[in-house]
Amino acid sequence: MLRMADELRTRGHDLHFFGPAAGTGWLGAQFRKRGFPTEVFRLRRPLDVRCLYHLATMLRRRAYDVVHSHMFAMAVYGAAASRMARVPHVITMHGDCGETQYLRRRVALRWAIRHSHSSVAVSQPLLRLLCEGLGIADDELQVIANGVQDITGDARAFRRELGIGDDELLVVAVGRCDHDKGHIVLCQALDRLPQDLRWRLALVGPADAASPDVEGFLASRSWANRAHILGPRDDIPDILSAADLFAMPSLTEGLPVALLEAMVASLAIVASNVGGIPEAVSDGQEGMLVPPSDPQALATALHHLMTASVERTRLGCAARRKALERFSLAAMADEYERLYTGATRHG
């Protein structure tokens, strides 16, 4: 969202950020830091009519041309508020996140999709999952792949911060620490590696429901001092530049931006074969794909790439090439510009 907002602003568009008071502290701060006007609303309960009317009032007051909502709750509230304010609405779904498992959520999201101008899934597997789960036709959603920009970082600064030696390999995983991101699986895989391998682990992203499990597992291991739980960071380019391997052991995914950023950074990838990940990473070409929730398979892939520097370099170069060719920020912004233009014409 941040990167696309930056890109669209360079094209002459005026963007405002709306977010719930609870849950978007970091994101809202980043939008404000970049000079975007921001609005906050309070969602007090799952069905909050007062919040809905407040949102609709804010949309009317500014006379927006289009509203773009991301993920389930914002998609539903955004669709309803936009309808009340008579503003075209666009939805992007980045993952399933259980929306298709519960009847109330299925009904709500299906209603939101059918009362929005356009609805987007970030990968073809996610589109199929949503259409099947919601009982909607394939043409009610379209795919726009996430995109990333070409960024570089300072590897030395980050390795110096953590005291990582030149002979130590750095494995990085970026994402919130929840069950679906599979951080505990990554820790279990690293626990199976030979003791003589020299490596470090950096887990980057906000704490979530799985954090206590990960922290408890690490605390019980003799190698706990090799693992760094860093929380959310603003220096992701530096971290990726400092890394030797990028791990994404997710149990479910759409098309994760963190993965695409790692590819741009020329990192060999070890990831689960789920969701939209195989659309970005082909096994043996840009990285290695393993079954989800399989610590042994993940350990085998990590060990192979830790001990094969030439292979790491080959995969990393191929990953960067593919990311820049197929998943550019400019291409993503082009697609959304087209949607916005169509939405305003059909208002």
Side-chain angles (χ1 to χ4, degrees), residues 65-87:
D65 296 302
V66 65
V67 175
H68 187 174
S69 300
H70 295 257
M71 297 303 290
F72 171 75
M74 297 304 97
V76 174
Y77 273 87
S82 298
R83 188 171 174 81
M84 292 169 64
R86 299 180 182 277
V87 183

Side-chain angles (χ1 to χ4, degrees), residues 263-279:
M263 293 173 68
V264 168
S266 299
L267 288 175
I269 310 294
V270 179
S272 301
N273 189 6
V274 297
I277 290 177
E279 292 187 357

Side-chain angles (χ1 to χ4, degrees), residues 305-327:
L305 290 183
M306 283 180 175
T307 56
S309 61
V310 174
E311 180 74 350
R312 283 201 312 273
T313 300
R314 180 186 71 80
L315 294 176
C317 290
R320 174 176 169 79
R321 191 162 52 246
K322 186 172 184 179
L324 293 177
E325 289 174 357
R326 292 188 50 189
F327 302 105

Side-chain angles (χ1 to χ4, degrees), residues 20-222:
T24 57
W26 180 87
L27 186 59
Q30 290 298 311
F31 270 96
R32 287 189 293 274
K33 181 179 177 181
R34 286 164 164 80
F36 291 100
T38 62
E39 298 274 3
V40 172
F41 54 90
R42 298 192 179 278
L43 192 57
R44 298 166 183 83
R45 59 189 65 86
L47 181 58
D48 191 335
V49 176
R50 186 166 56 165
C51 175
L52 176 60
Y53 277 92
H54 176 59
L55 266 174
T57 300
M58 288 194 292
L59 295 180
R60 289 193 198 99
R61 188 176 69 231
R62 297 272 189 167
Y64 291 101
D65 296 302
V66 65
V67 175
H68 187 174
S69 300
H70 295 257
M71 297 303 290
F72 171 75
M74 297 304 97
V76 174
Y77 273 87
S82 298
R83 188 171 174 81
M84 292 169 64
R86 299 180 182 277
V87 183
H89 186 245
V90 173
I91 293 171
T92 294
M93 296 298 294
H94 297 266
D96 174 40
C97 298
E99 277 79 23
T100 61
Q101 296 177 19
Y102 306 101
L103 178 60
R104 284 191 305 175
R105 285 177 167 250
R106 289 199 300 271
V107 170
L109 185 55
R110 188 162 52 226
W111 180 89
I113 289 171
R114 288 176 172 168
H115 289 84
S116 297
H117 175 270
S118 300
S119 296
V120 172
V122 297
S123 69
Q124 194 64 43
L126 178 59
L127 182 146
R128 290 195 298 269
L129 180 67
L130 288 169
C131 289
E132 292 169 5
L134 297 173
I136 61 177
D138 289 357
D139 60 5
E140 294 186 64
L141 286 168
Q142 61 184 291
V143 173
I144 297 179
N146 285 330
V148 291
Q149 62 190 144
D150 188 3
I151 51 178
T152 57
D154 183 352
R156 291 174 298 178
F158 184 73
R159 292 182 76 96
R160 188 165 55 245
E161 175 188 337
L162 297 189
I164 300 173
D166 293 340
D167 61 340
E168 292 181 296
L169 295 169
L170 176 60
V171 180
V172 167
V174 177
R176 68 189 182 279
C177 190
D178 70 6
H179 174 72
D180 287 342
K181 291 298 181 183
H183 283 51
I184 190 68
V185 180
L186 175 57
C187 293
Q188 292 167 346
L190 291 168
D191 192 47
R192 298 172 185 230
L193 296 179
Q195 292 296 311
D196 59 342
L197 274 179
R198 292 182 57 77
W199 53 265
R200 297 280 196 100
L201 169 67
L203 298 177
V204 184
D208 213 319
S211 296
D213 294 337
V214 172
E215 291 167 0
F217 182 90
L218 291 175
S220 67
R221 293 306 184 267
S222 61

